[in-house]
Amino acid sequence: MVHPQHNSGRLFAHWVDFSYRHALWVILLLLTLTGLSAIYTADHLGIHTDTTDMLSEEVPFRANHIRYLQSFPQHEDTLVLVLDAPTPEQSHQDAKRFTHFLQSHPAQFSSVYYLTGEPFFEKNGLLFSDLTELGRITDHLSAAQPMIARIVDSPTLYTFSSVLTEATSALRSGRTLELQSVFDAVSAAVDARLTGIPRPLSWQALLGGEVQKNAYMEIISVKPALDYSQIFAAEQSINNIRVTAQEMGFTEHAAKKLRITGEVALAHDELNSAMHGAQDASVLALIMVAAVLLMAFRSIGPMIAIIVSLILGLLLTAALATVTVGYLNLISIAFAVLYIGLGVDYAIHFLFRLKEIQTSGKSLAQALSKTGSDMGQSLLICALTTAIGFYAFIPTTYRGVAELGIISGSGMLISFLVTMTLLPAMQRLLPIRAKLPSPWFQSVDAMLDLPRHASRWVYGATVIAIIVSITALPHIRFDYNLLNLNNPHAESITTFQELLKTPEESPWYINILTENAQQTDRIAQRLRALPEVDKVISILDLVPQQQDEKSALIEEMAMIMGPISFSPTAFLTADQYTAREQYQALEKLAAALNRFITEQPGHAAVFSAQRLHRSLTDLLIHLDQFDPANGLDKEQYLRALGHDLIGLLPESIQRLQLALSAQPFVQQDLPASISELWRSHENVYRIAVYPKENINDNDALRRFVRAVQTVAPDATGVPVISLEAGEAVVDAFIHAFSLALIGVTLGIWLMLRSALSTLLVLAPLLLAALFTGAGTVWMDLPFNFANIIALPLLLGIGIDSSLHMVHRSNAGESDDNLLHTSTARAIFYSAMTTLVGFGSLIFSTHQGTASMGLLLTIGLFLTLVCALIILPVLLQTASQMRQKHHAAV
């Protein structure tokens, strides 16, 4: 049995005595030091919210990404604006207006790309269609040209109804006409007007032979100005966009909407979600921790002393972080969580031991001296071993975790110093009262005592749990998807996931850099052969094939359309038809549809005709109910309906006429605003590779990335970074925990000078780690970039709990009494405060934070089981073995 060294015991006793005797000066000195530290920290501590900087630049995938951003800086830190409208004409108009606003503020938005709205693509867009598609459009234009010409001559609802009536009659007489899409589109527009939510008819869709969809989107990519000195670096830019969108009519309940996503918006929403979640959880945690401390000490004094010591230690640790690192990142900011979780452990153990000694009849001064002698060495061992565990993170390539290791490891030493200095001094102001354990804990004592009397059952259950847990270990997962950390209801997340579902719009694609056009073509051809790849785009694809043949078809379209022209400002302003005449024209159309449905029941267009007939019938009934006395203006209503049906025709004709002026071109004809996205000023070429699957799924992400890397090992982009960063984090933690285990083992052995004691300390720690890993499988809780930060806290608490129990046992405490000591109570209440404090994170809207709270809850519960149930049985067995050995000797 190894006893605490008398010299160290006397040293810690003198230390505590000094703090108690000079309490006022000690408190004033610590408050002054803390105040100066807080001022220094506020003035000099920076915040880095750029997550890419948290991994070493020497990691290959980071080096590839840095090279990519150096060649194409316009793709870094971008917002993606998604504009939705009922028709393609409206979405295009809105996107053009919004692009103009963004481009008029270059200081705030340095680069803006709306590729669909680029004049070059507006003019030459038809050249990118295949010959079959162009032939289909030609046929539709040929059929629609007479109707368009008549409507342009007389742009009224009356003319539109009359033309459609004549077309229906021609269809009834046997003429071949493609009217299904027209019937469906007109019916949808009429129904929308009847419901009070107008939805105009899209002539662009009709002329292209497409079925009109419910909504159309346009995408604008913009690079906003970011201020990393602020916590929310993009807040001003995002707010300006939202204010302008509101002014342009993009509101939550309007037919057209603007949504913001992209890497900057995702980071902004994630930080916002994490902070608000932490704030809400902090209030709940404060209440719950205070309740546990009151239940533990049944006095407000110890609770205040613990909270004050935590605040002072936290501020001193922040000052040390300012001096040693200079800033906090999104990982190292978790030092506060780790400090509170472990710092409260030291304070609770100190005060519980003090309270226990006082019950033996000693004065407060004598009890403090004895507490310092008894607890000093065990707390120092805990602080040193936990610090070693944190310092083991320093050599990793995951810079964010390495900096967390520096700060948290030093914080553990600060926590030890504050506990041994401030808590004795505060006993002058808030002395702890000697009280017998509460009846509630006496019942807990009895419950914890049961396993010791059923050691065989404990061993049996432990062996079974070990076997089952080992079988679960291969199924432990790491979630590489950064989207799963965020609030799933955030606009940026829902929009981003919607884009991911459509491969051609996917904002997650892989980028590959090449040196020349020949290499670009060779790699692109190999990538297109991969089953995981949907499409591959490079600057070579911006020059379409078969331009001469396509130009001939486009010229034919231009001849079919003829020189159609009109004044858009005068469109729909002529009121040569009365409301009665327009009503009658609609009646004639309904009658023509009815005759067609009756005479041609097997026609392919009959279902669409029936739908339009029902819509017109409802419209006519609705118009019959109009009463001028009630303020209902039939003429105004019909004018609005006419605008719904033909109001977008001018825009469609203008865009079509521009597209019909396309001419063959070569790569040198591409404007700089387009070519610079694919070929840098240093003649570095870029290839974009899009996935065939939705890579929001981790397995699909891995398949896509690994397939592309077989062709281009230096590929980069968000899919590559997510996968490689996740694996780098896993490797970093495996490396760090391996070093931590070695360091902690050596540290414990050197301080306890006993191989058996060292094994007894490590056994519950390793068992808790094994059970927690298996628990993540059974709870379907994968590790991720957020909850993996909980592992160092579980490591520290596991070390501390086991060390205190073994140290108390080695100090001569009998096995029968061990679970009835202040050490067992301190372990229990320390775990409870951490459990209720950080378990409250489960309710955070930030999914990463919530998963960290859940992992901590599982891990802490299992650590408590291992420390208070399994370890006492192991200590009892070890004691019995020593007794048998001594008896044999």
Side-chain angles (χ1 to χ4, degrees):
M1 183 179 294
V2 179
H3 294 279
Q5 298 179 4
H6 295 295
N7 289 336
S8 63
R10 284 197 298 269
L11 172 63
F12 292 125
H14 290 317
W15 181 345
V16 171
D17 287 341
F18 178 86
S19 296
Y20 182 68
R21 287 197 310 269
H22 304 88
L24 182 60
W25 291 107
V26 168
I27 293 173
L28 287 175
L29 179 63
L30 282 175
L31 288 176
T32 302
L33 179 61
T34 305
L36 293 174
S37 298
I39 293 171
Y40 179 80
T41 302
D43 291 339
H44 296 89
L45 183 63
I47 300 290
H48 283 193
T49 56
D50 191 351
T51 55
T52 58
D53 284 340
M54 289 192 292
L55 285 161
S56 171
E57 295 180 0
E58 297 177 1
V59 179
F61 75 88
R62 272 222 67 200
N64 294 335
H65 190 62
I66 290 171
R67 177 171 172 255
Y68 164 69
L69 294 179
Q70 288 172 343
S71 300
F72 298 95
Q74 64 270 42
H75 292 294
E76 181 182 19
D77 296 331
T78 58
L79 289 170
V80 174
L81 310 185
V82 179
L83 295 90
D84 300 295
T87 67
E89 295 93 333
Q90 289 173 308
S91 62
H92 181 76
Q93 291 172 355
D94 293 335
K96 292 280 279 188
R97 282 198 303 151
F98 217 90
T99 300
H100 176 73
F101 156 73
L102 296 170
Q103 290 175 338
S104 64
H105 296 80
Q108 194 154 12
F109 307 104
S110 56
S111 59
V112 182
Y113 296 99
Y114 171 42
L115 295 181
T116 309
E118 279 283 339
F120 180 84
F121 285 126
E122 288 187 302
K123 177 181 178 181
N124 298 293
L126 287 175
L127 291 172
F128 290 89
S129 302
D130 57 38
L131 291 172
T132 302
E133 176 71 7
L134 288 175
R136 186 177 62 81
I137 295 174
T138 301
D139 292 340
H140 280 280
L141 287 178
S142 178
Q145 196 279 337
M147 178 172 65
I148 294 172
R150 286 187 58 186
I151 293 173
V152 169
D153 287 339
S154 177
T156 61
L157 175 61
Y158 179 90
T159 304
F160 178 82
S161 302
S162 300
V163 170
L164 198 53
T165 300
E166 294 171 9
T168 302
S169 299
L171 192 67
R172 179 172 60 85
S173 63
R175 186 177 173 185
T176 302
L177 294 174
E178 294 290 338
L179 290 181
Q180 287 172 268
S181 58
V182 178
F183 289 161
D184 289 336
V186 174
S187 175
V190 172
D191 289 344
R193 173 57 61 178
L194 287 171
T195 60
I197 307 175
R199 181 174 177 268
L201 184 149
S202 171
W203 286 88
Q204 179 178 323
L206 281 180
L207 296 177
E210 303 172 0
V211 176
Q212 186 172 343
K213 297 183 293 187
N214 291 327
Y216 293 82
M217 72 168 60
E218 293 289 340
I219 297 176
I220 303 173
S221 176
V222 56
K223 186 179 177 68
L226 301 177
D227 183 5
Y228 281 114
S229 65
Q230 302 295 319
I231 295 180
F232 295 99
E235 185 170 34
Q236 183 177 353
S237 298
I238 291 176
N239 286 342
N240 286 345
I241 289 174
R242 294 201 184 281
V243 169
T244 303
Q246 191 83 13
E247 294 172 351
M248 290 186 180
F250 295 94
T251 60
E252 182 179 356
H253 302 292
K256 56 182 185 178
K257 295 177 174 60
L258 181 139
R259 296 175 288 164
I260 305 177
T261 187
E263 58 180 304
V264 171
L266 290 170
H268 176 85
D269 282 349
E270 180 175 10
L271 187 58
N272 185 49
S273 173
M275 290 188 66
H276 281 87
Q279 289 172 2
D280 296 341
S282 296
V283 175
L284 180 60
L286 183 61
I287 296 171
M288 296 296 289
V289 168
V292 171
L293 291 176
L294 282 173
M295 183 173 62
F297 294 101
R298 292 185 290 166
S299 173
I300 196 170
M303 183 185 72
I304 294 174
I306 290 173
I307 292 175
V308 170
S309 66
L310 285 177
I311 293 174
L312 263 64
L314 199 57
L315 292 174
L316 291 172
T317 304
L320 184 67
T322 307
V323 174
T324 56
V325 180
Y327 59 86
L328 296 176
N329 57 55
L330 293 179
I331 298 296
S332 62
I333 201 170
F335 87 91
V337 175
L338 302 180
Y339 182 91
I340 293 171
L342 293 170
V344 74
D345 178 69
Y346 298 170
I348 287 176
H349 274 280
F350 186 93
L351 292 178
F352 258 111
R353 182 57 176 156
L354 174 61
K355 185 179 179 182
E356 183 182 45
I357 294 171
Q358 277 189 288
T359 58
S360 64
K362 293 183 182 293
S363 66
L364 181 57
Q366 292 173 329
L368 277 170
S369 180
K370 177 65 174 170
T371 301
S373 176
D374 290 352
M375 296 301 301
Q377 188 180 36
S378 63
L379 289 179
L380 178 61
I381 294 173
C382 289
L384 288 174
T385 52
T386 308
I388 289 171
F390 282 128
Y391 287 149
F393 287 79
I394 296 175
T396 66
T397 56
Y398 194 12
R399 184 185 299 166
V401 172
E403 292 168 357
L404 175 65
I406 295 173
I407 300 169
S408 295
S410 303
M412 293 303 97
L413 301 178
I414 290 174
S415 180
F416 168 75
L417 295 174
V418 171
T419 299
M420 295 295 293
T421 306
L422 180 62
L423 284 183
M426 290 196 69
Q427 291 307 302
R428 283 282 191 187
L429 305 177
L430 300 167
I432 194 168
R433 304 297 179 188
K435 295 180 180 179
L436 292 174
S438 66
W440 177 84
F441 201 85
Q442 290 175 0
S443 64
V444 174
D445 280 350
M447 188 187 306
L448 292 175
D449 221 16
L450 292 175
R452 195 173 55 81
H453 298 294
S455 57
R456 290 184 179 181
W457 288 99
V458 172
Y459 280 125
T462 302
V463 170
I464 294 173
I466 290 173
I467 295 172
V468 173
S469 297
I470 290 174
T471 61
L473 290 184
H475 303 286
I476 291 177
R477 296 182 295 119
F478 187 92
D479 188 355
Y480 305 99
N481 193 336
L482 295 171
L483 297 181
N484 292 339
L485 300 181
N486 213 325
N487 180 357
H489 305 295
E491 178 188 79
S492 60
I493 291 292
T494 56
T495 304
F496 203 89
Q497 289 176 332
E498 180 182 326
L499 295 176
L500 285 175
K501 292 177 182 177
T502 311
E504 60 269 18
E505 301 290 354
S506 177
W508 274 358
Y509 51 84
I510 289 178
N511 291 295
I512 299 169
L513 301 184
T514 58
E515 297 178 356
N516 51 57
Q518 292 76 20
Q519 184 186 20
T520 300
D521 184 53
R522 184 170 62 254
I523 291 177
Q525 293 300 329
R526 293 179 61 192
L527 290 169
R528 290 189 179 98
L530 297 174
E532 295 81 4
V533 172
D534 179 65
K535 63 178 179 179
V536 180
I537 301 177
S538 72
I539 195 170
L540 305 181
D541 299 295
L542 300 186
V543 181
Q545 303 296 317
Q546 300 179 301
Q547 291 193 54
D548 291 337
E549 294 89 336
K550 293 175 181 177
S551 295
L553 282 174
I554 292 172
E555 289 176 3
E556 181 181 345
M557 292 184 206
M559 292 179 62
I560 290 172
M561 289 302 297
I564 294 177
S565 62
F566 47 78
S567 172
T569 57
F571 204 78
L572 286 174
T573 57
D575 290 329
Q576 63 263 43
Y577 297 102
T578 64
R580 181 61 186 169
E581 290 172 323
Q582 295 182 74
Y583 181 93
Q584 290 174 344
L586 291 170
E587 277 187 320
K588 291 179 181 178
L589 175 57
L593 287 167
N594 188 52
R595 286 193 297 271
F596 167 70
I597 294 167
T598 303
E599 297 176 14
Q600 300 281 355
H603 197 280
V606 72
F607 179 77
S608 298
Q610 289 173 338
R611 179 185 174 192
L612 178 56
H613 182 264
R614 286 195 298 271
S615 299
L616 291 173
T617 301
D618 292 341
L619 173 64
L620 293 171
I621 293 173
H622 182 68
L623 291 172
D624 288 338
Q625 296 173 350
F626 272 55
D627 185 353
N630 295 329
L632 298 176
D633 189 336
K634 184 182 297 186
E635 186 173 342
Q636 184 178 356
Y637 189 89
L638 290 169
R639 187 182 300 114
L641 177 62
H643 190 274
D644 291 343
L645 294 173
I646 55 180
L648 294 178
L649 181 59
E651 166 77 9
S652 300
I653 295 299
Q654 287 178 345
R655 292 183 64 189
L656 177 61
Q657 288 175 332
L658 177 60
L660 294 178
S661 66
Q663 296 294 327
F665 62 91
V666 295
Q667 190 178 123
Q668 288 71 24
D669 296 327
L670 292 172
S673 60
I674 296 174
S675 62
E676 68 183 10
L677 297 175
W678 302 95
R679 186 182 63 228
S680 72
H681 297 297
E682 295 78 22
N683 280 326
V684 176
Y685 287 70
R686 179 174 79 94
I687 302 174
V689 188
Y690 289 81
K692 183 164 289 184
E693 299 178 273
N694 181 356
I695 57 174
N696 196 35
D697 175 74
N698 281 316
D699 293 333
L701 171 69
R702 177 180 288 276
R703 285 192 295 269
F704 175 56
V705 171
R706 295 306 183 216
V708 172
Q709 286 179 330
T710 61
V711 176
D714 296 337
T716 186
V718 174
V720 176
I721 292 172
S722 295
L723 182 62
E724 298 291 0
E727 296 195 344
V729 169
V730 173
D731 291 343
F733 271 86
I734 292 174
H735 183 211
F737 274 100
S738 299
L739 291 177
L741 183 61
I742 294 171
V744 166
T745 303
L746 289 174
I748 294 172
W749 181 79
L750 288 172
M751 284 178 276
L752 296 182
R753 299 290 183 176
S754 169
L756 179 60
S757 295
T758 301
L759 288 175
L760 288 171
V761 171
L762 292 177
L765 176 66
L766 296 177
L767 287 175
L770 174 64
F771 298 155
T772 301
T776 63
V777 176
W778 299 326
M779 296 285 291
D780 193 23
L781 176 65
F783 288 104
N784 55 50
F785 290 96
N787 66 22
I788 202 167
I789 305 303
L791 296 181
L793 178 56
L794 295 174
L795 172 68
I797 292 176
I799 293 172
D800 290 357
S801 300
S802 300
L803 261 172
H804 284 300
M805 289 290 285
V806 173
H807 189 273
R808 187 65 182 265
S809 178
N810 289 347
E813 196 71 59
S814 68
D815 297 324
D816 292 339
N817 193 48
L818 183 59
L819 287 173
H820 304 290
T821 63
S822 63
T823 300
R825 296 189 190 99
I827 290 173
F828 177 81
Y829 281 114
S830 175
M832 285 298 293
T833 53
T834 307
L835 187 64
V836 300
F838 299 114
S840 62
L841 296 175
I842 294 174
F843 304 104
S844 172
T845 56
H846 184 261
Q847 296 304 291
T849 303
S851 69
M852 181 166 68
L854 181 57
L855 181 60
L856 276 170
T857 301
I858 297 170
L860 284 170
F861 172 76
L862 293 172
T863 299
L864 202 60
V865 169
C866 292
L868 294 182
I869 296 179
I870 299 176
L871 180 56
V873 174
L874 293 174
L875 288 170
Q876 182 185 39
T877 303
S879 176
Q880 292 171 352
M881 290 174 62
R882 281 195 295 265
Q883 290 173 4
K884 290 180 181 179
H885 176 73
H886 290 314
V889 174

